[in-house]
Amino acid sequence: MGIEIRPIVADELERYMDLCHMAFGGKPEEGEAERITEVIGLDRVHAAFDDGRMVGTEAAYGLRLTVPGTPTGDATATEPPGRETGRGAEPPGIPTAGLSRVSVAATHRRRGILTGLIGAHFADAVDRGEALSALWASELPIYGRFGYGPAADLLQVSYDNRKARIRPPDRPVDLAFAEGDEATELLPILRERDRRRRPGHFHRSPTWWRLRRFTDHEFQREGASPRRTVIARRRGEPVGYATYRYAPRWTDHDLPDGEVRVIEAVGDDLDVRHTLWWYLSNVDLHPNVRFWSLPVDTELPWLATDPRAMVRHLTDGLQVRVLDVIAALEGRSWAADGQLVFAVDDASHRQAGWTYRLTAEAGRAIVERTDDRPELRLHPAALGALYLGSRPATALAVAGWLEAEPTVRDRTDRLFGWSTAAWCDESF
């Protein structure tokens, strides 16, 4: 009997979690079964079976990804509920399958199981009308061969504020700890407003907030304090927030040397972000500050008296795979006018061998199939890397991911490039 790949049923969920965590070296976490069932849904949780024995896993979140030009709209309006009812207008963004929880049992490697799981994921996403697949790669080389390209980098930043010294803001806003239901009421609105400005962010449904953001299990703390939240206001109106944890520490000479671990800091503008960053850098007894993720174009280092005192580690974040070329490219905006004829060498997908003409004008594009000779040839990973506007075609050409004359590469950069760096603020 061959390998069978299908959605799991409820009584297989425990086996699914055990197998997935065995691959990653962990164990099932508190509330995990509820998060899988309600945030993902068992119809999007797939497993591979060998004669009835589970030997591989994958799952996909249904996301709405912010892309260049996603409308900002009215983020104060009530957002649609989670997957439990499906009512309400869809939030802006490109429908995206967020691939996660991918594993193959160590006893069944090199049997094509991963290829089968990814193929099932692609087919399911296309059937659902999702133009993109996206993931956070545990091992980058694995997913490039399936057409995923690194589309959004991130900075991990840490510093001792006794050395870096964040300057006080010139135009500070008011801060106060969240009380009662303030966090649950305000954070989704403020973060939704913020995510529409940044390619790479995605909409968080109410279910996502309830089961992934507002929980505070012990395993989430990693030895630090419960989560703290401060709300920023300007003239009484909420304009930002920060969530963080304390990690107390003392030197051998009984001097305070604790750390503030920032979960996220969201602000409507630089004055708000500066106020929040200054506050986080000046918490009593905790002079060390660690941001697990910031965009590569963050202003934070330039608000320090000594930016060199900040440790900055650049790494890849969100990987993007384009599943529907026309829908994906027509669904984003374009910074320049122009035309490009390109082919995607995508032997693993239904659009293999297709050539396209992209015509961009006044911020929008028309993409159509053509029989013209392509001036640009791309590996599907290159198209994914270019898609959010932060990856130069010249660098991808050096890596062998695309072929084009220098003038065509320059035109590609002008068309795809975007002024705001892509960044995904949450792994999944």
Side-chain angles (χ1 to χ4, degrees):
M1 181 181 292
I3 300 295
E4 177 192 14
I5 297 174
R6 60 167 173 80
I8 68 170
V9 295
D11 62 4
E12 295 169 330
L13 182 55
E14 185 175 350
R15 275 194 296 160
Y16 172 92
M17 292 190 298
D18 285 340
L19 179 59
C20 188
H21 282 287
M22 189 181 302
F24 287 94
K27 61 181 180 179
E29 299 161 341
E30 184 180 356
E32 183 174 354
E34 183 182 16
R35 291 194 298 276
I36 292 174
T37 303
E38 293 197 36
V39 182
I40 300 175
L42 293 186
D43 59 325
R44 302 208 67 166
V45 178
H46 289 79
F49 297 85
D50 181 9
D51 195 21
R53 184 183 299 273
M54 190 179 297
V55 295
T57 66
E58 64 96 344
Y61 297 93
L63 306 176
R64 304 288 294 196
L65 189 70
T66 305
V67 301
T70 291
T72 55
D74 179 12
T76 64
T78 301
E79 292 295 336
R83 56 168 290 108
E84 63 270 16
T85 66
R87 297 190 302 271
E90 291 289 351
I94 295 292
T96 300
L99 182 61
S100 185
R101 310 184 69 89
V102 180
S103 74
V104 175
T107 56
H108 283 67
R109 299 178 65 194
R110 306 290 188 267
R111 300 192 191 183
I113 294 173
L114 178 59
T115 299
L117 288 166
I118 298 295
H121 166 70
F122 286 170
D124 184 62
V126 169
D127 287 345
R128 294 171 185 271
E130 292 164 334
L132 305 172
S133 175
L135 59 81
W136 287 70
S138 56
E139 294 183 81
L140 190 61
I142 292 175
Y143 294 97
R145 62 190 178 96
F146 295 109
Y148 289 90
D153 290 337
L154 61 90
L155 279 178
Q156 296 171 339
V157 179
S158 59
Y159 57 92
D160 181 338
N161 197 50
R162 292 167 295 193
K163 299 176 181 177
R165 299 187 301 279
I166 301 298
R167 299 193 304 272
D170 294 327
R171 293 173 294 277
V173 297
D174 298 324
L175 299 180
F177 285 107
E179 296 182 351
D181 295 330
E182 282 185 323
T184 56
E185 292 174 357
L186 295 177
L187 267 58
I189 294 173
L190 291 167
R191 194 270 178 180
E192 177 68 12
R193 205 154 68 200
D194 182 71
R195 78 95 181 170
R196 300 186 188 192
R197 307 183 187 107
R198 174 77 65 174
H201 280 18
F202 58 85
H203 170 74
R204 296 175 186 161
S205 71
T207 307
W208 188 291
W209 277 101
R210 177 170 57 88
L211 294 178
R212 283 187 57 109
R213 303 303 299 185
F214 288 140
T215 56
D216 197 14
H217 300 301
E218 194 64 41
F219 76 86
Q220 294 173 297
R221 299 175 184 175
E222 298 181 331
S225 73
R227 185 181 54 245
R228 313 298 186 192
T229 300
V230 294
I231 305 294
R233 287 181 170 83
R234 179 187 286 124
R235 293 182 291 278
E237 292 298 318
V239 289
Y241 68 90
T243 58
Y244 60 96
R245 303 183 192 280
Y246 302 120
R249 187 170 62 215
W250 297 82
T251 70
D252 292 339
H253 301 287
D254 291 330
L255 296 175
D257 196 37
E259 181 179 69
V260 172
R261 299 177 183 175
V262 182
I263 301 170
E264 60 184 352
V266 171
D268 282 358
D269 53 46
L270 179 56
D271 289 336
V272 180
R273 294 191 295 275
H274 190 174
T275 302
L276 290 168
W277 291 333
W278 187 86
Y279 166 79
L280 294 165
S281 302
N282 288 276
V283 174
D284 286 344
L285 309 181
H286 296 77
N288 300 290
V289 185
R290 175 157 61 92
F291 291 81
W292 82 272
S293 179
L294 286 168
V296 296
D297 60 356
T298 179
E299 309 97 340
L300 177 60
W302 317 118
L303 299 175
T305 302
D306 187 0
R308 189 182 295 176
M310 290 186 169
V311 177
R312 286 167 276 178
H313 175 66
L314 176 67
T315 188
D316 59 277
L318 194 70
Q319 316 286 314
V320 170
R321 210 290 186 192
V322 177
L323 300 176
D324 187 326
V325 174
I326 293 176
L329 297 185
E330 290 189 344
R332 58 155 286 178
S333 295
W334 301 84
D337 294 347
Q339 192 173 93
L340 188 66
V341 178
F342 65 95
V344 184
D345 296 327
D346 194 355
S348 65
H349 195 46
R350 61 187 177 86
Q351 297 168 345
W354 289 9
T355 299
Y356 305 85
R357 179 189 294 108
L358 182 151
T359 305
E361 185 176 359
R364 308 310 300 173
I366 296 175
V367 183
E368 52 196 345
R369 292 182 61 185
T370 180
D371 294 326
D372 292 352
R373 182 178 178 180
E375 53 188 338
L376 171 68
R377 302 198 70 92
L378 304 116
H379 185 278
L383 185 59
L386 288 169
Y387 182 69
L388 294 180
S390 292
R391 192 73 61 199
T394 300
L396 298 176
V398 171
W401 288 15
L402 62 81
E403 297 177 4
E405 294 296 323
T407 56
V408 177
R409 296 199 300 261
D410 291 344
R411 187 174 358 126
T412 301
D413 284 339
R414 288 195 299 272
L415 285 167
F416 277 86
W418 200 250
S419 58
T420 304
W423 173 50
C424 188
D425 63 340
E426 182 173 0
S427 61
F428 50 84

